[in-house]
Amino acid sequence: MTCINRKKQGGIVLRADRHRKKHHKKRRWFVRLLLLFGLIAVYSYFQFQAGLEGSQEETGESKIDYTFHGNRDENGYTNILILGSDARGEENSRADTIMIASYNPDKGTYKLASIMRDTYISIPGHGNNKINSAFASGGPELVRKTIKENFDIDLQYYAIIDFQGFVRLIDTAFPQGVEIEVEKSMSKNIGVTLEPGIQALDGEHLLGYVRFRQDAVGDFGRVERQQKVVKELGKQLASVQTIPKLPKLIGVVIPYINTNMDTGDILYMARGFLSEEGRSINTLRIPVENSYQNQRISGAGAVLAIDLEENKRALNEFLAN
């Protein structure tokens, strides 16, 4: 009996030793993971601050505090109103670029709809005019109201991007330039000269490429180039494994963006996009083909008179599907 009891006791001791070893092993792994996350957090913080300080030295101006009563899309999408401007802080400038960026966290889809700035629609409280005049009359909030009233799209956030921020972002992310095919000679009113062919463009030249509209297709060509560059940037950012660079890139561009989004939200969406190589961005242009007429209206100049119902349906279907 004594021998049996000793064997039982020995077995219990061995099992207890194994349990303690497993417990210690799990604790070591847990500590290592904590250290790893801590190092990542510290690295991200210092990278973000490095990018932020460099850009803040260049901007040196306070941002306009806009009111924005954005609402989350009823289908759970995150819709962001993106406005491009080179107004240098002037409050009453017109928006040069108007886009809706839509992110579906459940499906992991990213979409971009461009609304042409000469689109002639009803501006709440201001009558009919070009949509880009809404920004000058009431900031991003009036643009939000205009899009909601005309297209029935809810916008949760806004981001006003200074074009110099685009230049800084490109030069930081792509020191060797962004490879793009320039389809024709371009120089008028863009501050640079571009020749046809595939070439690596720095930030200043790439900005000139997406802003050029002094040809037969005018603003239609400009919107097409903007969407082309957004898609290409998405591919090239993912292909060079940009996730480690994200904190610095966001720090670089934040001073050039006036937005109601938290830095953490921006980082989350950007990381989600770049985490899957080859992830695509679907695009749409408003007005869609065969849904508008070129007209000249007193007080507004050359406008795009659109079939509102057709474009409303196209935009809603694009964002929902």
Side-chain angles (χ1 to χ4, degrees):
M1 288 292 292
T2 303
C3 182
I4 292 172
N5 288 336
R6 286 176 180 171
K7 285 181 179 179
K8 286 182 178 179
Q9 290 172 358
I12 293 171
V13 170
L14 286 173
R15 284 197 295 272
D17 286 341
R18 289 195 203 101
H19 179 74
R20 279 196 295 272
K21 286 179 181 178
K22 286 182 180 179
H23 178 72
H24 289 318
K25 191 174 182 180
K26 288 180 180 179
R27 190 164 61 182
R28 284 197 299 270
W29 274 109
F30 180 70
V31 171
R32 288 171 184 171
L33 282 173
L34 280 180
L35 287 173
L36 178 61
F37 288 137
L39 288 172
I40 292 173
V42 171
Y43 168 82
S44 299
Y45 172 79
F46 281 107
Q47 286 292 302
F48 174 78
Q49 288 297 323
L52 186 67
E53 289 169 7
S55 290
Q56 283 180 332
E57 289 175 3
E58 290 191 7
T59 55
E61 59 184 29
S62 59
K63 296 176 182 177
I64 299 168
D65 188 16
Y66 289 108
T67 297
F68 194 79
H69 301 294
N71 297 304
R72 187 170 181 80
D73 181 87
E74 61 180 11
N75 296 312
Y77 309 146
T78 300
N79 291 334
I80 307 164
L81 172 64
I82 298 179
L83 302 168
S85 172
D86 61 353
R88 313 287 180 175
E90 296 175 14
E91 192 167 3
N92 295 321
S93 62
R94 293 195 173 201
D96 194 62
T97 298
I98 302 171
M99 294 179 172
I100 298 172
S102 184
Y103 166 57
N104 185 328
D106 295 328
K107 297 179 181 179
T109 56
Y110 294 77
K111 298 181 180 182
L112 188 69
S114 298
I115 303 178
M116 296 187 65
R117 62 183 187 175
D118 291 341
T119 300
Y120 191 69
I121 53 179
S122 172
I123 312 295
H126 297 268
N128 289 348
N129 207 334
K130 296 179 181 180
I131 190 172
N132 71 336
S133 70
F135 182 63
S137 299
E141 171 63 7
L142 185 55
V143 181
R144 182 197 68 79
K145 287 181 178 178
T146 300
I147 291 173
K148 176 62 177 177
E149 179 178 290
N150 289 273
F151 299 103
D152 196 26
I153 298 295
D154 283 310
L155 299 166
Q156 186 175 3
Y157 301 110
Y158 75 87
I160 305 169
I161 303 174
D162 186 300
F163 289 137
Q164 278 306 117
F166 175 83
V167 172
R168 283 272 294 162
L169 177 66
I170 297 303
D171 289 342
T172 303
F174 304 100
Q176 306 303 317
V178 175
E179 188 172 283
I180 205 85
E181 183 176 3
V182 179
E183 60 271 20
K184 63 183 73 175
S185 296
M186 304 177 186
S187 60
K188 191 174 181 180
N189 295 340
I190 58 173
V192 294
T193 299
L194 300 171
E195 298 299 336
I198 298 175
Q199 50 202 288
L201 301 181
D202 63 13
E204 185 179 6
H205 286 79
L206 191 61
L207 176 62
Y209 176 74
V210 299
R211 295 194 69 190
F212 179 75
R213 64 190 191 100
Q214 303 299 322
D215 59 5
V217 290
D219 213 33
F220 286 90
R222 187 176 68 95
V223 168
E224 184 178 337
R225 280 187 289 275
Q226 287 175 352
Q227 294 187 343
K228 170 185 172 182
V229 167
V230 168
K231 287 183 174 182
E232 190 59 36
L233 287 178
K235 290 179 185 177
Q236 294 191 30
L237 281 168
S239 67
V240 296
Q241 300 299 311
T242 313
I243 289 180
K245 298 180 182 179
L246 267 181
K248 184 174 183 179
L249 295 179
I250 291 174
V252 164
V253 79
I254 282 293
Y256 296 97
I257 298 179
N258 189 332
T259 181
N260 62 337
M261 295 182 68
D262 292 332
T263 302
D265 292 331
I266 298 173
L267 184 61
Y268 172 76
M269 283 186 275
R271 189 185 298 275
F273 177 77
L274 297 176
S275 63
E276 183 178 319
E277 189 169 346
R279 192 190 293 276
S280 62
I281 301 174
N282 295 322
T283 58
L284 177 76
R285 186 205 70 209
I286 297 294
V288 295
E289 289 294 334
N290 303 316
S291 70
Y292 64 92
Q293 292 181 342
N294 291 296
Q295 293 184 2
R296 182 165 291 276
I297 296 178
S298 177
V303 304
L304 297 173
I306 69 170
D307 181 327
L308 185 58
E309 287 305 313
E310 182 176 347
N311 282 280
K312 176 181 176 180
R313 182 171 57 253
L315 182 56
N316 278 270
E317 288 179 354
F318 171 72
L319 295 177
N321 293 336

